[in-house]
Amino acid sequence: MNILVIGAGAYGLALSTILSDKNEVTIYSSLEQEIDNLKNTYKNEKLFPNIELSKKLKFINKIEKQYDLIVLALPTNIIEQELEKIKDKIKNTPII
């Protein structure tokens, strides 16, 4: 299954790591610097010092294709704001 995880914080990275065992997982964040850092290092020193993320994970800050499933991993206070930015890109995709 091709899964998009929206949110690159602790919850999003942990879920993505678990899901990537049997799925193709892409992590989306609107924060370009955060995505660039993850792409270059496969680490988040602030949240998970000394832990390297799976090389199977992909990181994006622009959604350019369809996914089979979307997993929301965002703080509740920014869900509406973040979904508003990408609503046209995620139509007709199941969201959990």
Side-chain angles (χ1 to χ4, degrees):
M1 185 175 273
N2 195 2
I3 300 173
L4 176 66
V5 175
I6 298 176
Y11 187 53
L13 293 176
L15 280 174
S16 297
T17 298
I18 293 166
L19 292 169
S20 70
D21 282 345
K22 297 185 179 183
N23 301 283
E24 184 178 321
V25 178
T26 302
I27 300 170
Y28 165 84
S29 172
S30 61
L31 304 174
E32 188 171 346
Q33 185 176 4
E34 180 176 51
I35 290 299
D36 287 344
N37 181 55
L38 290 167
K39 279 182 184 177
N40 293 327
T41 67
Y42 283 86
K43 289 185 179 182
N44 185 318
E45 292 291 339
K46 181 179 172 186
L47 298 173
F48 301 114
N50 305 317
I51 295 177
E52 188 168 316
L53 299 167
S54 170
K55 298 286 188 198
K56 295 192 301 185
L57 296 172
K58 297 177 184 135
F59 305 98
I60 61 170
N61 66 347
K62 292 180 183 148
I63 300 171
E64 297 177 343
K65 70 177 205 172
Q66 290 294 325
Y67 294 87
D68 300 319
L69 179 69
I70 295 173
V71 176
L72 285 182
L74 296 168
T76 56
N77 62 323
I78 65 166
I79 288 175
E80 185 176 357
Q81 166 191 332
E82 290 299 312
L83 289 180
E84 184 65 31
K85 294 178 190 176
I86 59 173
K87 66 182 179 185
D88 294 334
K89 302 285 186 178
I90 61 172
K91 288 181 180 177
N92 304 317
T93 304
I95 299 175
I96 59 170

